[in-house]
Amino acid sequence: MSMISHSTRAFGSPSRYIQGRYELDNLKKYADKYGKKLLVLVDTFFYKEWKPRFEKMYEGEGSEVKVMEFSGEIYAEKIDAFADECRDFDPEVVAGMGGGKTMDTAKALADIFNAATIVIPTTASTDAPCIGLSVLYTKEGEHVGARHYVKNPDLVLVDTDIIVKAPIRFFVAGMGDALSTYIETRANLTSDSPNYVWDGFVSTKAAEAISKACHETVLSKGISAYYAAKNGLCTKDFEDVVEANTLLSGLGVQNTSCAGAHSIAEGIEILPACRKLLHGEVVAFGNLVQLIMEGRSDEEIKQLYDFYKVTGLPSTFEDLGIKDVTDEEVMLVATESMKSYWDVEPFPVNPQKVYDAIKMADVLGRKYAAE
């Protein structure tokens, strides 16, 4: 267990969160509130379309924009190279538009230049936009750690017209990740584990309420939102789940912590087939493992299996692409997962217990799939 030794509470969040259809058209209006020199880092998939659009926004006097393309991995040398290229421009605001690696690079550059940070996600697949850290990799894509910042992004700007046009798999993965928020919050609250605000504080009641709202929103509106997204429709339910995937989940995890679900997500990537999966997909399977490990009610566990069955989240080894996984490989995953967050559980966890829970998640997944 990682019980905290003091009783001081803390809560961290983005300064502003704005979500709506076509809101990216208002980027200049929002950016100008923070500064007149904007650096925009744009994911390679959106760069060709949005570079001229951003430049058109900034035609005329009073403000400047520099638009740069991002592709590939995020690693320290690459961040430094971007910073060197922007030194003369000296941005007052840095925006990152794209996936997690683009957004995290923008956060790092904003920190280097002491600039305001605007994050513009192009999918609702993770809670990364709202968190005050960047996940770092090697050039080869191996995870090596994270950079933590003194503040969260100043603005998270979510254009749901862009989000709804993304492949449905990303939105579904986001729901899998969001469903871990309360499941993991509950474990952390029970064990009095420190949250992710600076060096770690006691979680607030607000964090617990937000995590519950995230869970309830996804389970009550997720299937409707799933069908809306499949048909390119920005319905009320879709907008609510985008908020849950992005804001509520982000606030929940930063202000509590991760637990077993993310331990499984990190451990299972030791299997090459699972490295091809999206983060929220492996976390979704981890949710099942954690609930089984904790001995949660049949009703609660079956609710997730039923939700996964409709939305396509993985609930069996076959869904994960590891149908022929050996017992030795499952134990390898269980052992690897011990390096992560199992210590926040309010009871001792060991590889054998994790192994049993992983195997049971697959057993129940096959059972419910056959019904």
Side-chain angles (χ1 to χ4, degrees):
M1 285 170 51
S2 56
M3 184 179 291
I4 200 163
S5 59
H6 59 76
S7 59
T8 304
R9 304 180 182 201
F11 186 90
S13 69
S15 177
R16 297 289 185 271
Y17 178 91
I18 298 174
Q19 174 187 315
R21 204 165 198 175
Y22 313 122
E23 277 300 325
L24 192 50
D25 293 338
N26 295 318
L27 176 62
K28 183 178 183 300
K29 180 178 74 171
Y30 299 137
D32 278 354
K33 297 180 185 299
Y34 299 103
K36 300 300 182 182
K37 298 178 72 174
L38 172 67
L39 167 66
V40 189
L41 209 60
V42 183
D43 190 287
T44 191
F45 296 107
F46 295 88
Y47 180 75
K48 194 171 185 179
E49 176 188 355
W50 280 93
K51 181 178 189 290
R53 293 180 66 170
F54 289 140
E55 290 174 341
K56 186 172 179 59
M57 282 184 202
Y58 275 76
E59 286 179 350
E61 298 182 359
S63 300
E64 300 176 64
V65 68
K66 181 179 179 68
V67 186
M68 301 180 71
E69 183 176 8
F70 180 89
S71 62
E73 294 296 341
I74 170 176
Y75 48 92
E77 296 85 354
K78 190 172 190 175
I79 293 168
D80 292 340
F82 271 117
D84 289 342
E85 194 171 345
C86 299
R87 199 76 62 186
D88 291 340
F89 183 69
D90 194 20
E92 298 171 330
V93 187
V94 178
M97 175 184 178
K101 292 173 184 179
T102 308
M103 294 185 289
D104 281 358
T105 303
K107 293 176 192 176
L109 290 171
D111 185 62
I112 289 170
F113 288 103
N114 196 25
T117 314
I118 298 177
V119 171
I120 308 164
T122 52
T123 68
S125 60
T126 73
D127 49 31
C130 294
I131 298 175
L133 61 82
S134 297
V135 180
L136 297 184
Y137 299 83
T138 64
K139 293 180 182 180
E140 295 71 34
E142 180 182 348
H143 175 241
V144 292
R147 286 188 186 181
H148 293 261
Y149 306 118
V150 71
K151 65 183 178 66
N152 295 56
D154 296 281
L155 169 63
V156 177
L157 182 59
V158 183
D159 188 327
T160 44
D161 189 64
I162 293 173
I163 302 294
V164 81
K165 291 174 181 174
I168 189 67
R169 182 182 175 191
F170 289 100
F171 183 64
V172 171
M175 292 195 287
D177 192 34
L179 284 170
S180 73
T181 307
Y182 181 62
I183 292 171
E184 295 188 310
T185 289
R186 187 168 53 187
N188 279 281
L189 293 177
T190 305
S191 61
D192 284 330
S193 294
N195 63 20
Y196 288 143
V197 179
W198 291 348
D199 295 329
F201 292 85
V202 172
S203 297
T204 61
K205 295 300 290 182
E208 181 180 11
I210 287 168
S211 296
K212 276 186 179 178
C214 179
H215 199 76
E216 292 166 0
T217 299
V218 174
L219 285 179
S220 64
K221 299 193 172 194
I223 291 175
S224 170
Y226 165 74
Y227 286 111
K230 285 190 76 171
N231 290 279
L233 306 174
C234 287
T235 62
K236 174 73 162 54
D237 285 352
F238 174 77
E239 294 276 358
D240 285 351
V241 176
V242 168
E243 181 186 336
N245 285 7
T246 310
L247 178 63
L248 302 183
S249 183
L251 293 176
V253 70
Q254 171 138 33
N255 292 288
T256 57
S257 181
C258 294
H262 276 79
S263 298
I264 293 298
E266 294 188 6
I268 208 165
E269 289 190 353
I270 201 168
L271 304 178
C274 291
R275 294 175 198 152
K276 301 173 186 176
L277 298 170
L278 297 176
H279 174 73
E281 292 171 335
V282 286
V283 171
F285 187 77
N287 292 335
L288 304 173
V289 176
Q290 183 177 334
L291 292 178
I292 291 166
M293 171 75 78
E294 294 174 343
R296 298 295 174 180
S297 70
D298 290 346
E299 181 182 10
E300 181 177 358
I301 293 171
K302 187 175 185 301
Q303 186 178 32
L304 255 63
Y305 279 105
D306 289 345
F307 185 85
Y308 288 12
K309 191 171 182 178
V310 175
T311 58
L313 285 167
S315 61
T316 65
F317 291 160
E318 184 172 6
D319 294 340
L320 292 166
I322 53 171
K323 182 179 179 181
D324 298 320
V325 66
T326 65
D327 289 347
E328 290 75 15
E329 288 172 324
V330 174
M331 181 56 80
L332 194 63
V333 170
T335 302
E336 185 70 15
S337 78
M338 295 299 298
K339 299 175 182 178
S340 298
Y341 316 100
W342 280 118
D343 65 324
V344 308
E345 292 290 344
F347 51 81
V349 176
N350 59 50
Q352 185 63 58
K353 287 183 178 180
V354 178
Y355 170 94
D356 291 346
I358 293 172
K359 294 279 284 189
M360 190 63 186
D362 175 63
V363 168
L364 290 177
R366 287 184 281 111
K367 172 184 178 295
Y368 290 129
E371 290 180 354

